[in-house]
Amino acid sequence: MVSLTEPLEKFLDIATEAALSAGAILLENWSEDKNIEEKGRAGDLVTRVDRLAEAEILKIISRHFPEHAILAEESGKLGETETEYLWAIDPLDGTTNYAHGYPVSVVSIGLLIGGVPTVGAVYNPFRNELFRAATGLGATLNRRPIRVSDTIDLSKSLLVSGFAYDRRQTPDNNYAEFCYLTHLTRGVRRSGSAAMDLTDVACGRLDGYWERGIQPWDITAGSVILVEAGGKVSAYDENPLVIEPGGRVLATNGRIHTSLSQALQKASAWNLQFESF
Ligand code: IPD
Ligand code: CA
Ligand code: CA
Ligand code: CA
């Protein structure tokens, strides 16, 4: 158990300040030249605005907490190695959407304390929706408390998932799961923003989310928000989630957690059909 240097509210307020400030940058630059580049792998994009928003967030976090470490998507690991405080920052989650002019992107700012996701702020500037949570303090959307859905049957659920950028190079690509769950449920959406997927489960718009090849900056903030809204976040097999590069995450309203976990295991049989196709 880490003894806190500040109340959790303080960390949450700074995460919020940074998320709102970066969100404003996403909006201000929406109609400007985005300067789109590929990061080495086909389809893995970065824009001028990802970097601009990240610089703004780093400025705010390091001004308030110069002794903390930061893991930011475009800058990598920065700061102290000894500290128990690690900020996981995605300045623009939904870059492909943003680059194409499809307005579905958020800013995601999470704080791990002693390796545990503890504070999260996710801001969607296009909907003006601010999701916030810290462990034990509850989760809110625009300052009002939120709860997960009460759907208990997988067959009546609406899910969301995503695909990692290396999906063309690996059989670990989620194609079979996506089809199998589409078959079993009312539908599977793909928003293009993992942080938004988690917050949409947190406020009950969706019942569950899963993804493989996910990064700490994609899920740290959203995980805190979902858990504080009454949901559950775990590994695919329901064991505790370890926040690590390229991990797999299963996140639900809690009620469909076991049935979705079991369905993901069964879906691997569909992989064989895909391979022989
Ligand atoms: C991506 C989005 C997408 C998910 C990918 C992520 P980015 O993040 O969250 O929904 O499917 O796995 O890499 O690159 O837009 O920040
Ligand atoms: Ca992301
Ligand atoms: Ca990003
Ligand atoms: Ca990216």
Side-chain angles (χ1 to χ4, degrees):
M1 183 79 179
V2 178
S3 66
L4 296 177
T5 54
E6 310 266 0
L8 288 181
E9 287 88 344
K10 167 77 177 170
F11 301 126
L12 185 53
D13 284 347
I14 303 307
T16 303
E17 180 189 334
L20 292 175
S21 209
I25 290 175
L26 268 51
L27 280 188
E28 278 158 26
N29 287 277
W30 180 247
S31 305
E32 305 297 318
D33 180 7
K34 293 175 182 137
N35 205 352
I36 303 161
E37 291 167 31
E38 260 177 5
K39 285 207 261 187
R41 195 167 22 211
D44 188 355
L45 307 181
V46 61
T47 73
R48 182 178 64 78
V49 188
D50 294 68
R51 297 195 175 106
L52 213 55
E54 186 160 297
E56 174 70 6
I57 297 164
L58 296 181
K59 192 178 79 190
I60 293 170
I61 302 285
S62 51
R63 185 171 73 229
H64 288 277
F65 307 113
E67 71 288 4
H68 289 185
I70 295 178
L71 177 64
E73 179 174 8
E74 311 306 339
S75 311
K77 186 99 191 267
L78 305 165
E80 291 288 327
T81 48
E82 297 301 308
T83 176
E84 298 282 3
Y85 293 83
L86 176 66
W87 292 86
I89 292 165
D90 196 335
L92 205 174
D93 188 44
T95 294
T96 307
N97 292 339
Y98 191 86
H100 282 256
Y102 184 65
V104 180
S105 308
V106 305
V107 180
S108 177
I109 302 186
L111 174 63
L112 296 133
I113 305 182
V116 180
T118 308
V119 174
V122 173
Y123 181 52
N124 182 331
F126 301 101
R127 291 182 179 170
N128 193 23
E129 289 186 342
L130 171 67
F131 291 87
R132 287 165 33 105
T135 302
L137 300 182
T140 58
L141 163 53
N142 292 347
R143 310 272 170 175
R144 296 209 173 94
I146 50 171
R147 289 298 294 172
V148 290
S149 70
D150 54 15
T151 307
I152 48 174
D153 291 342
L154 199 56
S155 64
K156 293 186 176 147
S157 69
L158 184 61
L159 307 180
V160 67
S161 189
F163 301 90
Y165 293 113
D166 66 358
R167 61 187 176 270
R168 297 175 194 85
Q169 289 85 44
T170 172
D172 194 25
N173 55 27
N174 195 23
Y175 294 162
E177 290 83 349
F178 201 90
C179 291
Y180 185 56
L181 267 306
T182 298
H183 183 75
L184 288 187
T185 62
R186 285 185 175 163
V188 182
R189 303 291 178 249
R190 198 277 156 107
S191 76
S193 165
M196 192 176 102
D197 296 343
L198 286 162
T199 53
D200 277 345
V201 178
C203 69
R205 291 171 184 156
L206 297 169
D207 306 301
Y209 158 75
W210 81 94
E211 189 162 348
R212 38 177 81 197
I214 209 77
Q215 301 298 332
W217 50 79
D218 294 316
I219 57 167
T220 297
S223 301
V224 183
I225 295 164
L226 177 55
V227 169
E228 284 297 307
K232 184 167 177 183
V233 179
S234 75
Y236 274 21
D237 59 5
E238 299 194 66
N239 279 318
L241 180 70
V242 180
I243 302 273
E244 60 187 358
R248 294 177 175 191
V249 60
L250 169 60
T252 71
N253 64 3
R255 296 167 176 90
I256 61 161
H257 210 80
T258 298
S259 42
L260 182 50
S261 169
Q262 288 169 351
L264 287 171
Q265 280 164 46
K266 280 199 196 146
S268 54
W270 280 44
N271 258 328
L272 298 173
Q273 292 183 17
F274 266 79
E275 279 159 17
S276 59
F277 185 63

